[in-house]
Amino acid sequence: MHSEPVGRRNRPNRRAVLGTIAGVAVAGVAGGYAWNRHEHGGGSGSGGDDLGGGAGTGSGSGAHTFERLSEPGRTVVRGSDGDTLATFTDGARTAVLAGPTRSFSEPRTTTATVTTNAWVRVLPHAWQAGMEKSAWFKSWFGKALGDTKPDVFAVAFQYSSAGAPDKRDGSGVRYAGTAHFGPRNQEVDNPLDFAYHDEQSDFYDYLGTPWTFSDGTRAQPEQARYGDVDCSGFQRLVWGYRMGLPLHNTNTKGAGMPRRAFAIADYGPGRLVIPHTNQQPTELGVLQPGDLVFFAIIKDRPNFIDHCGMYLGLDDQGRHRFYSSRSAANGPTMGDMSGRSLLDGTDFYARGFRAARRL
């Protein structure tokens, strides 16, 4: 499943940053429940969708058909007209469903727009083949298909550095609103330097509240980091704190999502859909909206994962665009300051792109 580009129906040393802060627009467009109508798979050439191919067999269930595909193993739900309604990947809790078309933009940091009818949601259980027959799935899917309550994308843009309104819970804790990357690093004078804003801000720093992890360890927020999240902290804020995936506070194997980008790439939940081979991946058809993408962006460590973001899909130029918290925009951005937010081509982040994981 890919996003649908505008006007098209699809079937540096750490680098420095420029930066004005831009507004983010998220606009709904009526209709649009068809993803890549009559998709074609790779692999053996047998029926499949365009996420990486593989042979599959279909079995009907009411108005829907469930088709098994491989590389990665997944179950694709199709409507009676053959349109893809949803994709569920074995071992992952990320589900991508068709819904009303939306456009995401950040006008002051990029001219690009991502228009998509992909709605990224989190399953209550990691997917396994045959789960479409279970009672919990039938109930969940009946409610999720066509649901327009905030999904992962909508939640992620609630933290845009370009400006997002504050949201507070009943206790007065600000759980959403404009996020920044980190406090000003007084040892760096050049605002274009990646280290101009400091790393190390996690989701509980943004919230300004202590957090007790499942292993009993407790983390205390730093007052100077209130409202801040670095790249992996942002993903933990969205997927963990907001969407309910388990979190732990180490960079080793554990139950749930670890702390740093390299650890999430190596030990995170779900499954790798693009493994780290010390090279820029060029076959990107396996990606689906919501996948975490990982980058090696330190000049002296060209294969060390030190940045992560969320794949949005194809933009209006047909380019593979992602969303991440960066010092460049001082927070979450889909923009192009100090390197375009692209996975394909020869731009800075594209050259540093190394792996992808489906949570």
Side-chain angles (χ1 to χ4, degrees):
M1 286 170 215
H2 295 291
S3 59
E4 186 176 74
V6 175
R8 188 186 306 178
R9 165 95 178 198
N10 256 352
R11 276 290 161 238
N13 83 22
R14 289 193 172 224
R15 280 205 29 181
V17 284
L18 276 198
T20 48
I21 303 302
V24 171
V26 182
V29 181
Y33 278 82
W35 254 316
N36 302 319
R37 184 182 177 95
H38 306 308
E39 295 163 308
H40 301 284
S44 66
S46 300
D49 67 13
D50 63 357
L51 285 183
T57 57
S59 62
S61 175
H64 304 141
T65 298
F66 295 88
E67 183 177 4
R68 283 295 296 171
L69 299 170
S70 59
E71 301 179 18
R74 63 205 186 278
T75 300
V76 174
V77 187
R78 301 193 191 281
S80 58
D81 56 2
D83 285 352
T84 303
L85 300 180
T87 295
F88 306 98
T89 302
D90 295 356
R93 288 180 60 182
T94 300
V96 183
L97 294 85
T101 301
R102 302 169 291 174
S103 292
F104 296 89
S105 63
E106 196 174 318
R108 291 180 62 193
T109 58
T110 180
T111 60
T113 300
V114 173
T115 298
T116 180
N117 61 353
W119 289 66
V120 182
R121 302 208 176 272
V122 175
L123 291 165
H125 312 283
W127 185 259
Q128 296 179 15
M131 273 189 168
E132 69 273 12
K133 300 175 183 178
S134 65
W136 77 260
F137 174 76
K138 293 176 182 178
S139 174
W140 183 90
F141 189 61
K143 297 175 183 177
L145 189 62
D147 185 5
T148 56
K149 293 185 180 69
D151 69 333
V152 172
F153 279 1
V155 168
F157 276 87
Q158 289 177 1
Y159 300 95
S160 171
S161 61
D166 287 353
K167 296 179 181 294
R168 297 182 183 273
D169 65 18
S171 300
V173 174
R174 187 184 70 147
Y175 67 87
T178 304
H180 297 300
F181 185 80
R184 170 79 168 81
N185 184 348
Q186 298 300 327
E187 296 181 1
V188 177
D189 295 326
N190 184 358
L192 304 183
D193 193 299
F194 266 3
Y196 191 72
H197 294 101
D198 193 28
E199 292 181 316
Q200 304 178 32
S201 297
D202 204 356
F203 70 97
Y204 51 83
D205 291 306
Y206 174 88
L207 298 169
T209 60
W211 191 264
T212 301
F213 292 89
S214 57
D215 63 0
T217 59
R218 190 166 174 81
Q220 295 290 337
E222 294 184 33
Q223 185 175 357
R225 297 180 182 276
Y226 176 70
D228 297 341
V229 276
D230 63 16
C231 66
S232 53
F234 176 51
Q235 300 304 328
R236 281 157 63 89
L237 179 63
V238 172
W239 291 94
Y241 175 72
R242 292 294 303 277
M243 308 309 295
L245 289 184
L247 298 168
H248 64 95
N249 208 31
T250 77
N251 294 312
T252 59
K253 291 182 180 179
M257 199 170 177
R259 172 60 181 100
R260 291 188 59 188
F262 76 87
I264 299 172
D266 288 345
Y267 310 125
R271 62 181 299 167
L272 279 174
V273 291
I274 297 179
H276 183 8
T277 63
N278 296 336
Q279 295 180 345
Q280 178 186 352
T282 56
E283 298 298 326
L284 305 183
V286 70
L287 291 171
Q288 73 176 25
D291 286 350
L292 294 196
V293 287
F294 300 92
F295 305 83
I297 58 171
I298 301 176
K299 181 178 180 181
D300 296 333
R301 304 181 71 182
N303 294 309
F304 176 70
I305 299 297
D306 194 46
H307 188 69
C308 62
M310 181 187 299
Y311 179 59
L312 296 176
L314 299 179
D315 65 19
D316 55 335
Q317 300 300 312
R319 304 293 297 277
H320 295 269
R321 188 163 288 271
F322 68 95
Y323 185 60
S324 68
S325 184
R326 309 208 298 257
S327 180
N330 193 17
T333 181
M334 61 175 279
D336 296 328
M337 296 186 300
S338 188
R340 297 185 186 180
S341 295
L342 297 175
L343 303 179
D344 57 315
T346 59
D347 291 295
F348 174 66
Y349 284 101
R351 294 197 310 271
F353 178 41
R354 292 292 180 271
R357 177 175 289 276
R358 191 162 300 158
L359 296 178

